[in-house]
C-alpha cells in the first residue's frame, strides 16, 4: 500500500485502537518487518514493557515519522484490522489532496500576489482573517449558515483571501475538524468548458488516488468555494425543472453551479461564493439563508502597517502614509490591497529619485502618472526609450478599445490589433502591467481595472487619438458624455483621470513620457463642451453629479471649475464616504447660481476620522449663507449626527440677505430615525426658525421627533419673529398629548399655512383640538392633513367651516 506522510503523526491514535494482545503481536511484527527491510533493529528489551505512547515515540525516533508510518501500515493487515487499513487509506488520500492543494495554491500565490511583503502581508493567514473565516460557518441559532456570500468590489482581495484560505486548510490551520475536502472553482477557468458535471469539476481539482465515492460519502464535510461567479453571467433564475440533482450528470457549467448553489446537488455541503456586489441582482433572495459578508479590504491600521513594511525606512514610510492620508480619495483607494501596493511602490520610487512626495500625492492622477512614468523610465534616465514609448502607446490604444467594448481580458487578436506583439508579453508581465488571466488560455488583463482606465485616459491626450483601429472607440467628447451619464457602469475613474491630466504639471510630464510637445487645445475644448452640457436641462436630468465633481476636484483649477459650474441650477449629491464630503465641499463653492441642492448622506460621520469630516460638512453647509440664489436644501435618506445637524441648522442664514425664501427639507426616510432627532435636535431647529426670518418650509417627516420635540418647535412657532409657512411632520411618532401645543401654535401663528400631521396617532380628542384651533379667527392655516389617525385602525376625515385645503 502506498502511504503518505501524515503531518500530525496519527500513529498514536491507531495504537490506542489495538486490543492488548493485538498490541503485543504488533510490537513483535514490527521488529520482524524492520529486520526484513534492513532497518536499524529494535531489541526485545526495548519493547518488552513499553506502552503505546512510548512505542510510538520509539518508532518515530528510530525511523522518522514517514518510515514509522509505513511500517505500521504494513502490519495492520496481518492483524486482520481491515477497519484501520481503510481509515489509514482515507487519511492518506486526504493528505495527498492537501499536498496537491498546497502546491497548486502556492504557485497561484506566487503568480498573482503583487502585494506581498516578506514577513508581512504574505500568504500566511492572519489571526484576524482566520477567526473571520471560521466564524462564517459557525452555527447560529437553529440554522447552520451553509451558504456564505463574500462580496466586494473588483480587486478588493477576494481571490487573495480565498487563496490564503486554501493554503491554511492544506496545512491544517483552518477548518481542521470541519471539512475533509475543500474544492476551489474559479469561474474564469470554468467558463471555457461547454458541458461538465459536479464529478467532472471535482476531478479537475483532485489527484487520481482519491475515490470520488469517498469524497461525496459525507457531503456535510465538503466545502465548495466558487470564485469570480460574475464571470459566468449567471442569473440563477432558471426554473427548477432545468436544474439537475445528479452529481454525475453532465450539463452546462452555469446549470451545474446553479444546481449546487440552489441546493439541488449535495444540499448538505457548505458553499462559499465570492462575487461582485449585485452580481447577479437579488442574490440574497435567491439563495437559501445566505450569510452575507462584505470584504472591505485594508482598514486604516492595515494601510499604515503595509506602508511601514514596504519601506525600509520607517520615517519615510510614515511621511508617505501621512501624505496619502491627507488625500481622502487616494486614502480610500488604498483599501484595495493591489492599489495600496501600487501607491506605496510609486511613492517609494519617487523618494529614491529625489522628488517631492507632497506634489505627487495631491491628486490620484498625479500618483498614477508618476507610477507609469517610473515603470517605463530607467532609474538613471530622464525619459523612456523610443521602444518603450511605442509599447506605452500600444497599451493606451488597447486600454481605450477595452473601455468602449467592455473588454477587460485581451486575447491575441485584440493585442495584435493594437500593436502588442507576443514578444512584448513577458516584459509586460515582468513590469506588472499585465497579469495572466488564467492557466488554460492565452489571455491577459491589466493588473487592475483602474490602471486600464488610466491608460485609456492617456490615449485621449496623445497627438492623434483619432484613427483607432477599432471603430468602437469614441472621440473625447463622447468619452466625457458617456462617463458623466454613467452609461457604462464599469467606467469609474476614466473621466476624472482625463480631467486631472489636463493640469499643466501633468501635461509637461506627459510631454517627457511620450517624447514630444503636445497640443494644449484639449483643455479649452473640454471646458467649452462641459459648459454647454451643464446648460442643457435634458442632460442635467441624466448626469451623475458626483462624477463631474470628482473630475473638477481632480483638476483643481479655479477658473475651469467656475466656468463649468456657474450654469448649474440644481444638484443631487449622494455622500457615501468621506471622499464625497471633500469633493462636494470643494465644488459647491463654484456653483454661484445654484437654486436647489439635495443631499443623501450615508453613515459617514461614525468613523473615527477626527475633525476632517465635520469640517468638510461645515463647508458644504456654508453654501447656505454664501449662495444668494439658493432656495431649497433637501436632505433625504440620510443619517446625521447631532453635531452635523447642528451645523446645518446654524448655517441657515438670518436677516434680510435674500429676496427669495429658502427652505430646509428632510423628506421621509426610514433611516432618518437614526439621526437622533430628539428634543435636543428640535431645539436646533427651533433656534433656526427664530434666527432665519426667511425659512419658509421645514419637513421633518419620518423622524422620531415625538411629543417632547414638537413642544419645542411649537414654542418657536408662537413667536412673532417666526415666519415658517409650511411644517410637515408625517409619521413622527406623535400622540394626542402634543395636540395642545400644536393647537396653541396654529391659533397664534400669523404665517403658518400648511401643517401635515399624517401618520401620527392623535386620538379623537386631539384631532378635535386641532380642528377647533383651525377655526380660530387669528389662525392663518390654509392646509391641514385631511386624514388623521384617531387610533391605529380608525381615521377621521376633517371638514372645517372656514376655507381650508385638506391634504
Amino acid at each position: 500500500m502506498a502511504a503518505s506522510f501524515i503531518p500530525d503523526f496519527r500513529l498514536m491514535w491507531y495504537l490506542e485502537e489495538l486490543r492488548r494482545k493485538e498490541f503485543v503481536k504488533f510490537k513483535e511484527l514490527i521488529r520482524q518487518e524492520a529486520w526484513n527491510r534492513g532497518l536499524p533493529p529494535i531489541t526485545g528489551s526495548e519493547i518488552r514493557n513499553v506502552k503505546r505512547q512510548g512505542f510510538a515515540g520509539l518508532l518515530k525516533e528510530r525511523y522518522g515519522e514517514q518510515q514509522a508510518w509505513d511500517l505500521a501500515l504494513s502490519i495492520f493487515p496481518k492483524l486482520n484490522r481491515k477497519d484501520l487499513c481503510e481509515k489509514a487509506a482515507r487519511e492518506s488520500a486526504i493528505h495527498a489532496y492537501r499536498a496537491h492543494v498546497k502546491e497548486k495554491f502556492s504557485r497561484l500565490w506566487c503568480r498573482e500576489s503583487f502585494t506581498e511583503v516578506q514577513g508581512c502581508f504574505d500568504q500566511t493567514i492572519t489571526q484576524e482573517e482566520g477567526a473571520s473565516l471560521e466564524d462564517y460557518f459557525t452555527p447560529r441559532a437553529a440554522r447552520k449558515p451553509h451558504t456564505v456570500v463574500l462580496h466586494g468590489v473588483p480587486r478588493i482581495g477576494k481571490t487573495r483571501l480565498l487563496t490564503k484560505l486554501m493554503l491554511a486548510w492544506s496545512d491544517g490551520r483552518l477548518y481542521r475538524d470541519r471539512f475533509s475536502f475543500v474544492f476551489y472553482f474559479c469561474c474564469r477557468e470554468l467558463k471555457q468548458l461547454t458541458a461538465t458535471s459536479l464529478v467532472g469539476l471535482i476531478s479537475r481539482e483532485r489527484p487520481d488516488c482519491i475515490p470520488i465515492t469517498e469524497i461525496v460519502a459525507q457531503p456535510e464535510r465538503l466545502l465548495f468555494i466558487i470564485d469570480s461567479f460574475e464571470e459566468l453571467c449567471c442569473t440563477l433564475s432558471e426554473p427548477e425543472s432545468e436544474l439537475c440533482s445528479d452529481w454525475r450528470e453532465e450539463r452546462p457549467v452555469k446549470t451545474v453551479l446553479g444546481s449546487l448553489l440552489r441546493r439541488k446537488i449535495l444540499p448538505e455541503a457548505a458553499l462559499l461564493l465570492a462575487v461582485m456586489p449585485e452580481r447577479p441582482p437579488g442574490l440574497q433572495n435567491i439563495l437559501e439563508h445566505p450569510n452575507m459578508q462584505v470584504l472591505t479590504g485594508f482598514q486604516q491600521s492595515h494601510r499604515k502597517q503595509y506602508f511601514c513594511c514596504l519601506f525600509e525606512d520607517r520615517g519615510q514610510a510614515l511621511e508617505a502614509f501621512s501624505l496619502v492620508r491627507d488625500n481622502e480619495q487616494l486614502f480610500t483607494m488604498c483599501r484595495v490591497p493591489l492599489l495600496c501596493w501600487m501607491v506605496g511602490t510609486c511613492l517609494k520610487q519617487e523618494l529614491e529619485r529625489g522628488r517631492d512626495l507632497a506634489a505627487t500625492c495631491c491628486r490620484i492622477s498625479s500618483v498614477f502618472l508618476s507610477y507609469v512614468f517610473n515603470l517605463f523610465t530607467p532609474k538613471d534616465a530622464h525619459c523612456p526609450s523610443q521602444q518603450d514609448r511605442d509599447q506605452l502607446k500600444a497599451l493606451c490604444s488597447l486600454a481605450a478599445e477595452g473601455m468602449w467594448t467592455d473588454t477587460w481580458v485581451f486575447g491575441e487578436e485584440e493585442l495584435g490589433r493594437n500593436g502588442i506583439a507576443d514578444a512584448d508579453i513577458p516584459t509586460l508581465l515582468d513590469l506588472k502591467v499585465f497579469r495572466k488571466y488564467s492557466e488554460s488560455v492565452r489571455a491577459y488583463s491589466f493588473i487592475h481595472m483602474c490602471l486600464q482606465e488610466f491608460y485609456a485616459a492617456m490615449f485621449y491626450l496623445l497627438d492623434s487619438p483619432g484613427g483607432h483601429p477599432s471603430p468602437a472607440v469614441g472621440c473625447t467628447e463622447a468619452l466625457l458624455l458617456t462617463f458623466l451619464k454613467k452609461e457604462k457602469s464599469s467606467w469609474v475613474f476614466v473621466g476624472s483621470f482625463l480631467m486631472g491630466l489636463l493640469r499643466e504639471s501633468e501635461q509637461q510630464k506627459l510631454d517627457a513620457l511620450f517624447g514630444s510637445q503636445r497640443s494644449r487645445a484639449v483643455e479649452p475644448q473640454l471646458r467649452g463642451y462641459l459648459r454647454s452640457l451643464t446648460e442643457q436641462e435634458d442632460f442635467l436630468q441624466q448626469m451623475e453629479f458626483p462624477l463631474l465633481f470628482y473630475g473638477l476636484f481632480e483638476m483643481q483649477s479655479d477658473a475651469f471649475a467656475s466656468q463649468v459650474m456657474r450654469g448649474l441650477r440644481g444638484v443631487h449629491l449622494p455622500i457615501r464616504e468621506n471622499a464625497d464630503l471633500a469633493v462636494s465641499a470643494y465644488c459647491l463653492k463654484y456653483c454661484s447660481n445654484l437654486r436647489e441642492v439635495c443631499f443623501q448622506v450615508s453613515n459617514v460621520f461614525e468613523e473615527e476620522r477626527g475633525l476632517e469630516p465635520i469640517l468638510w460638512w461645515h463647508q458644504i453647509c456654508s453654501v447656505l449663507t454664501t449662495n444668494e440664489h439658493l432656495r431649497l436644501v433637501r436632505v433625504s435618506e440620510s443619517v446625521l449626527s447631532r453635531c452635523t445637524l447642528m451645523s446645518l441648522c446654524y448655517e441657515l442664514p438670518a436677516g434680510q440677505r435674500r429676496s427669495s425664501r429658502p427652505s430646509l427639507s428632510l423628506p421621509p426616510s426610514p433611516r432618518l430615525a437614526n439621526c437622533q432627532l430628539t428634543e435636543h435636535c428640535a431645539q436646533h431647529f427651533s433656534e433656526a426658525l427664530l434666527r432665519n426670518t426667511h425659512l419658509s418650509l421645514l419637513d421633518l417627516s419620518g423622524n422620531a421627533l415625538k411629543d417632547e420635540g414638537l413642544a419645542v418647535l411649537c414654542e418657536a412657532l408662537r413667536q412673532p419673529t417666526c415666519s415658517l409657512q409650511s411644517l410637515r411632520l408625517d409619521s413622527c411618532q406623535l400622540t394626542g398629548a402634543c395636540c395642545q401645543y400644536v393647537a396653541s401654535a396654529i391659533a397664534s401663528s400669523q404665517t403658518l399655512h400648511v401643517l401635515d400631521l399624517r401618520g401620527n396617532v392623535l386620538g379623537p380628542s386631539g384631532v378635535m383640538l386641532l380642528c377647533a384651533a383651525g377655526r380660530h379667527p387669528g389662525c392663518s392655516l390654509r392646509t391641514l392633513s385631511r386624514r388623521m389617525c384617531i387610533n391605529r385602525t380608525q381615521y377621521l376625515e376633517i371638514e372645517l367651516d372656514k376655507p381650508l385645503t385638506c391634504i
Side-chain angles (χ1 to χ4, degrees):
M1 179 189 296
S4 296
F5 167 56
I6 306 298
D8 54 348
F9 195 60
R10 299 294 298 277
L11 180 57
M12 183 59 202
W13 183 90
Y14 285 86
L15 295 185
E16 292 288 352
E17 291 295 301
L18 298 175
R19 290 179 286 274
R20 187 176 65 83
K21 289 184 178 180
E22 287 176 332
F23 179 57
V24 172
K25 187 176 182 180
F26 178 84
K27 291 188 289 185
E28 189 58 40
L29 289 172
I30 282 283
R31 285 186 63 205
Q32 295 174 13
E33 185 65 23
W35 186 84
N36 291 337
R37 296 188 182 190
L39 298 176
I42 298 176
T43 64
S45 60
E46 287 180 298
I47 67 171
R48 187 171 296 117
N49 295 316
V50 70
K51 299 187 182 301
R52 288 170 172 80
Q53 184 175 356
F55 190 56
L58 174 64
L59 291 177
K60 179 180 177 181
E61 180 182 351
R62 187 69 52 88
Y63 304 121
E65 291 181 344
Q66 179 64 58
Q67 207 161 47
W69 179 246
D70 288 342
L71 282 170
L73 285 180
S74 68
I75 303 304
F76 293 146
K78 298 176 183 179
L79 297 175
N80 293 321
R81 290 301 301 264
K82 184 179 178 181
D83 58 326
L84 296 183
C85 294
E86 291 175 348
K87 180 175 177 59
R90 286 196 300 271
E91 289 196 347
S92 296
I94 291 172
H95 175 67
Y97 176 64
R98 288 181 185 268
H100 163 75
V101 167
K102 185 170 184 177
E103 178 186 1
K104 173 182 176 179
F105 284 90
S106 295
R107 190 170 61 248
L108 178 65
W109 180 271
C110 293
R111 191 190 80 197
E112 294 287 338
S113 181
F114 303 140
T115 61
E116 179 173 346
V117 180
Q118 192 62 35
C120 177
F121 295 94
D122 55 19
Q123 66 188 43
T124 305
I125 201 162
T126 66
Q127 184 176 358
E128 180 184 357
E129 290 169 334
S132 296
L133 290 169
E134 289 281 6
D135 187 60
Y136 287 172
F137 294 99
T138 299
R140 290 172 174 81
R143 185 177 63 241
K144 293 183 179 180
H146 286 306
T147 303
V148 176
V149 177
L150 182 66
H151 61 89
V153 298
R155 300 289 193 271
I156 195 67
K158 298 186 292 294
T159 299
R160 176 178 177 272
L161 179 63
L162 296 179
T163 301
K164 296 175 77 172
L165 182 159
M166 295 300 292
L167 289 170
W169 177 81
S170 72
D171 286 339
R173 288 179 286 114
L174 190 67
Y175 304 138
R176 183 185 185 89
D177 298 319
R178 181 168 181 84
F179 299 122
S180 299
F181 293 96
V182 180
F183 294 103
Y184 174 87
F185 300 149
C186 177
C187 294
R188 288 197 301 270
E189 302 279 351
L190 299 186
K191 73 178 184 180
Q192 313 298 329
L193 304 177
T194 51
T196 187
S197 63
L198 184 59
V199 173
L201 295 180
I202 292 174
S203 299
R204 288 167 53 92
E205 300 298 324
R206 69 178 179 91
D208 294 336
C209 62
I210 307 177
I212 189 68
T213 52
E214 188 74 37
I215 292 173
V216 300
Q218 293 181 293
E220 71 278 2
R221 293 188 59 81
L222 299 180
L223 170 61
F224 293 101
I225 297 175
I226 304 173
D227 192 9
S228 304
F229 185 66
E230 66 277 354
E231 293 279 349
L232 294 181
C233 300
C234 181
T235 63
L236 294 177
S237 59
E238 304 88 348
E240 289 201 8
S241 59
E242 295 182 11
L243 302 177
C244 60
S245 56
D246 187 346
W247 45 273
R248 294 159 296 194
E249 183 181 354
E250 288 204 353
R251 302 285 289 274
V253 173
K254 290 182 182 181
T255 304
V256 173
L257 292 184
S259 302
L260 186 65
L261 288 168
R262 291 171 64 182
R263 299 293 176 186
K264 299 303 176 185
I265 308 177
L266 302 181
E268 302 90 350
L271 306 173
L272 175 52
L273 179 67
V275 67
M276 289 169 56
E278 294 300 317
R279 299 279 295 272
L283 183 64
Q284 186 169 0
N285 299 323
I286 297 172
L287 301 179
E288 182 181 330
H289 308 303
N291 179 7
M292 307 297 290
Q293 297 290 333
V294 180
L295 190 61
T296 56
F298 282 170
Q299 302 305 310
Q300 178 172 343
S301 59
H302 298 150
R303 284 169 268 182
K304 185 176 182 179
Q305 183 185 2
Y306 189 82
F307 268 69
C308 290
C309 293
L310 189 62
F311 287 74
E312 290 82 4
D313 186 298
R314 181 173 174 82
Q316 292 180 345
L318 293 178
E319 177 192 358
F321 177 78
S322 177
L323 290 168
V324 171
R325 174 65 185 78
D326 289 340
N327 184 327
E328 193 62 43
Q329 189 180 7
L330 189 60
F331 188 65
T332 300
M333 188 176 279
C334 285
R335 286 178 180 170
V336 179
L338 192 144
L339 294 180
C340 191
W341 165 82
M342 192 210 80
V343 171
T345 299
C346 171
L347 298 184
K348 185 179 178 183
Q349 292 171 345
E350 291 287 279
L351 274 175
E352 291 170 352
R353 298 178 188 225
R355 294 178 184 146
D356 180 16
L357 291 191
T360 304
C361 289
C362 285
R363 291 161 299 279
I364 60 170
S365 52
S366 297
V367 174
F368 275 69
L369 183 55
S370 296
Y371 175 76
V372 171
F373 191 92
N374 294 336
L375 205 61
F376 286 89
T377 305
K379 190 172 181 180
D380 55 351
H382 297 291
C383 60
S385 66
Q386 188 57 49
Q387 180 180 355
D388 289 336
R389 283 170 175 157
D390 292 341
Q391 198 173 67
L392 179 57
K393 290 180 179 179
L395 285 171
C396 293
S397 176
L398 178 71
E401 177 179 329
M403 296 302 294
W404 284 102
T405 59
D406 292 320
T407 303
W408 307 96
V409 180
F410 304 97
E412 294 180 10
E413 181 181 350
E414 293 90 356
L415 295 169
R417 181 165 56 243
N418 289 282
I420 298 176
D422 288 344
D424 296 326
I425 299 299
T427 301
L428 295 174
L429 290 172
D430 289 342
L431 287 174
K432 297 179 180 176
V433 174
F434 278 172
R435 62 192 291 268
K436 203 168 188 298
Y437 176 67
S438 74
E439 293 283 1
S440 57
V441 295
R442 285 174 54 84
Y444 307 90
S445 66
F446 289 89
I447 63 169
H448 195 278
M449 298 165 73
C450 285
L451 277 164
Q452 179 172 336
E453 290 192 80
F454 185 75
Y455 284 108
M458 287 199 297
F459 170 79
Y460 284 91
L461 294 173
L462 297 175
D463 285 336
S464 54
H468 193 283
S470 171
V473 175
C475 64
T476 308
E477 290 83 358
L479 176 90
L480 270 183
L481 186 64
T482 303
F483 174 73
L484 294 175
K485 292 169 68 173
K486 198 64 177 175
E487 291 181 345
K488 289 184 176 290
S489 59
S490 56
W491 291 20
V492 180
F493 294 105
V494 63
S496 297
F497 283 144
L498 176 62
M499 294 175 71
L501 290 173
L502 293 177
R503 285 181 60 85
E504 182 57 31
S505 58
E506 314 308 328
Q507 294 276 302
Q508 292 174 11
K509 188 172 282 189
L510 286 171
D511 290 342
L513 188 60
F514 290 108
S516 62
Q517 179 76 26
R518 292 163 309 99
S519 169
R520 299 296 193 262
V522 177
E523 193 265 354
Q525 172 189 345
L526 290 186
R527 185 195 311 166
Y529 181 65
L530 286 173
R531 173 73 187 279
S532 67
L533 285 179
T534 56
E535 294 174 348
Q536 299 175 23
E537 192 62 35
D538 57 339
F539 169 75
L540 294 176
Q541 296 296 323
Q542 305 172 60
M543 183 177 73
E544 295 283 339
F545 287 100
L547 296 179
L548 175 62
F549 277 32
Y550 268 95
L552 295 172
F553 182 77
E554 189 64 22
M555 194 174 182
Q556 293 280 315
S557 168
D558 294 347
F560 193 102
S562 295
Q563 290 191 37
V564 170
M565 303 291 277
R566 68 188 181 196
L568 287 179
R569 300 293 185 270
V571 297
H572 175 254
L573 295 172
I575 296 177
R576 302 185 180 94
E577 51 191 24
N578 285 321
D580 298 334
L581 283 172
V583 169
S584 299
Y586 170 80
C587 290
L588 279 174
K589 62 187 178 184
Y590 297 108
C591 300
S592 55
N593 291 304
L594 201 61
R595 272 27 174 208
E596 178 178 335
V597 58
C598 177
F599 298 111
Q600 288 177 289
V601 186
S602 298
N603 206 2
V604 296
F605 298 109
E606 277 195 354
E607 295 185 24
E608 296 180 2
R609 298 297 307 278
L611 291 175
E612 283 183 342
I614 303 299
L615 292 175
W616 288 323
W617 177 249
H618 183 76
Q619 292 175 33
I620 290 172
C621 292
S622 68
V623 74
L624 299 173
T625 55
T626 58
N627 193 318
E628 61 182 11
H629 302 288
L630 191 64
R631 300 184 63 183
L632 174 66
V633 180
R634 185 181 298 274
V635 184
S636 64
E637 301 179 16
S638 301
V639 179
L640 298 178
S641 66
R642 185 180 300 176
C643 179
T644 52
L645 182 62
M646 184 168 60
S647 178
L648 181 63
C649 292
Y650 180 80
E651 290 296 335
L652 290 172
Q656 304 295 323
R657 284 179 281 179
R658 296 197 185 151
S659 57
S660 57
R661 293 180 178 269
S663 59
L664 173 66
S665 176
L666 295 167
S669 167
R671 296 196 69 194
L672 279 173
N674 297 325
C675 288
Q676 304 176 31
L677 295 186
T678 63
E679 62 271 21
H680 304 293
C681 296
Q683 183 64 41
H684 302 317
F685 285 109
S686 177
E687 293 170 0
L689 290 174
L690 297 177
R691 188 178 68 252
N692 185 342
T693 58
H694 293 285
L695 187 63
S696 61
L697 179 148
L698 182 61
D699 187 344
L700 297 173
S701 299
N703 294 284
L705 197 61
K706 299 183 179 178
D707 298 339
E708 295 84 352
L710 182 55
V712 176
L713 286 178
C714 288
E715 182 62 33
L717 290 174
R718 286 196 293 268
Q719 304 305 314
T721 55
C722 178
S723 58
L724 192 69
Q725 297 180 10
S726 178
L727 179 60
R728 302 187 183 276
L729 300 170
D730 184 357
S731 303
C732 286
Q733 300 183 26
L734 305 176
T735 71
C738 74
C739 292
Q740 186 67 49
Y741 315 132
V742 179
S744 175
I746 62 179
S748 56
S749 174
Q750 299 299 308
T751 60
L752 189 65
H753 299 324
V754 177
L755 178 62
D756 184 356
L757 294 171
R758 288 175 294 182
N760 297 290
V761 182
L762 303 178
S765 59
V767 173
M768 291 301 102
L769 271 175
L770 297 181
C771 293
R775 298 189 185 96
H776 191 277
C779 176
S780 62
L781 202 64
R782 298 173 185 168
T783 304
L784 183 65
S785 305
R786 181 178 180 185
R787 201 180 194 209
M788 293 190 183
C789 302
I790 297 176
N791 54 44
R792 298 200 179 276
T793 59
Q794 293 181 303
Y795 299 86
L796 177 65
E797 299 288 335
I798 298 176
E799 296 291 343
L800 298 179
D801 295 334
K802 64 184 293 184
L804 190 71
T805 303
C806 295
I807 59 174

